[in-house]
Amino acid sequence: YAAMIDRLGKNVSEAFGNFLYATGFLYNLVKESVLFLRRRQVGFRVLVMQLLFTAVEAMGIIALISSALGAVIVVQGISILPKFGQGKLIYTILLIVITRELGPLLTAFVIIARSGTAIATELGNMVISHEIEAYVSVGINPISYLAVPRFLGVTLSMVLLTIYFNFFGLFGSYVVTQFITPIQLHDYFQNLLRAMSVADIASSLIKALVFGILISFTAIYQGFKVRASSTEIPQVAIKAVGQGFVLCILADAVITLIYYV
């Protein structure tokens, strides 16, 4: 029992130490991000490349997922809801499922799978190859030059891709449904805009911003945690993905509870 208690104490102490370190790292990252906006030339190319990889190159798969999801919801709703005299409820359901819930969450999952692993792996390789030490030796802050552009790039990409997802989910799905269950264009858009509220848009954007911060911070934090061996790189990449999923789901639950309570 003594050994078990001692091990438990060490685990708690280590977890608390990691939490404090992560909090300090996040504070430093946010502080340098504010300074980055003032001195835009520092790491600007890295920011542009991050936006290109995270946002632009993911537009195809985001459009496909959102259009298919929207089409499935519309087709199922049109088939079932009129039987209960609630045909127009499909537009409210479409907005709740896509804009408030699955839009930001599925976009986050795509970014975690693509950019989260890429950032953790790339920064881990830089640590192993001593590139971080080289930056420090010539007076360049690796947080400012390497971490901040990726942090801002992923966060901004998350917001933009969520808007893009919502657009294709709500409006792009109309084109898909025309091949299955034709709907009058005027009626579709009029009822959709009538059911839409400012709260729907605000909830989606808040979730996108929070998810972007969590995803980018987790990937960067794990990437910098690599110490000496290249075998650590796959481990931190897996941790970045797993922790990103968990944090986004928890944040989604908290924001949704706040919205409804």
Side-chain angles (χ1 to χ4, degrees):
Y1 290 106
M4 185 181 298
I5 294 175
D6 184 58
R7 183 183 302 175
L8 180 61
K10 289 182 179 179
N11 291 337
V12 172
S13 176
E14 183 179 356
F16 183 70
N18 288 335
F19 174 76
L20 291 179
Y21 179 79
T23 303
F25 187 86
L26 178 61
Y27 170 77
N28 193 22
L29 188 59
V30 173
K31 182 185 71 173
E32 291 297 327
S33 298
V34 174
L35 296 176
F36 179 86
L37 298 176
R38 297 179 182 177
R39 47 175 193 251
R40 302 175 186 173
Q41 71 279 5
V42 178
F44 182 73
R45 182 177 178 276
V46 181
L47 173 61
V48 172
M49 295 302 294
Q50 189 63 56
L51 287 171
L52 177 64
F53 175 73
T54 303
V56 177
E57 294 185 6
M59 292 176 69
I61 187 172
I62 292 294
L64 177 62
I65 295 174
S66 58
S67 298
L69 177 63
V72 168
I73 295 172
V74 171
V75 171
Q76 293 289 342
I78 291 176
S79 302
I80 298 173
L81 292 177
K83 298 178 182 179
F84 303 94
Q86 300 291 334
K88 289 188 177 181
L89 192 60
I90 179 60
Y91 303 101
T92 303
I93 294 174
L94 193 64
L95 286 167
I96 291 175
V97 173
I98 290 182
T99 304
R100 293 187 194 175
E101 300 301 332
L102 291 185
L105 201 57
L106 290 179
T107 303
F109 288 172
V110 171
I111 291 180
I112 290 171
R114 297 184 75 256
S115 300
T117 54
I119 290 173
T121 302
E122 184 180 17
L123 293 178
N125 280 319
M126 287 184 178
V127 173
I128 296 300
S129 60
H130 303 289
E131 290 184 47
I132 306 298
E133 295 178 7
Y135 283 121
V136 174
S137 66
V138 296
I140 298 176
N141 186 350
I143 300 295
S144 302
Y145 187 75
L146 298 175
V148 170
R150 289 168 172 80
F151 177 73
L152 295 177
V154 171
T155 303
L156 181 59
S157 297
M158 179 67 208
V159 175
L160 295 176
L161 284 178
T162 299
I163 297 173
Y164 181 77
F165 188 107
N166 293 340
F167 175 80
F168 271 92
L170 298 175
F171 302 108
S173 59
Y174 171 80
V175 179
V176 180
T177 56
Q178 291 305 102
F179 296 99
I180 305 170
T181 307
I183 307 173
Q184 291 295 325
L185 179 64
H186 179 267
D187 293 338
Y188 181 84
F189 286 108
Q190 187 178 34
N191 291 325
L192 189 63
L193 293 175
R194 188 177 300 166
M196 185 180 297
S197 65
V198 177
D200 295 324
I201 301 173
S203 176
S204 180
L205 294 179
I206 290 173
K207 287 184 178 181
L209 180 63
V210 173
F211 292 172
I213 292 173
L214 292 175
I215 294 168
S216 54
F217 166 71
T218 303
I220 293 168
Y221 176 73
Q222 291 296 335
F224 277 115
K225 281 189 69 176
V226 175
R227 289 294 175 259
S229 174
S230 59
T231 57
E232 297 178 52
I233 296 176
Q235 297 175 10
V236 298
I238 293 172
K239 287 182 180 178
V241 172
Q243 292 177 3
F245 281 144
V246 171
L247 289 175
C248 286
I249 292 172
L250 291 176
D252 180 73
V254 170
I255 295 172
T256 300
L257 288 174
I258 292 174
Y259 177 83
Y260 284 105
V261 173

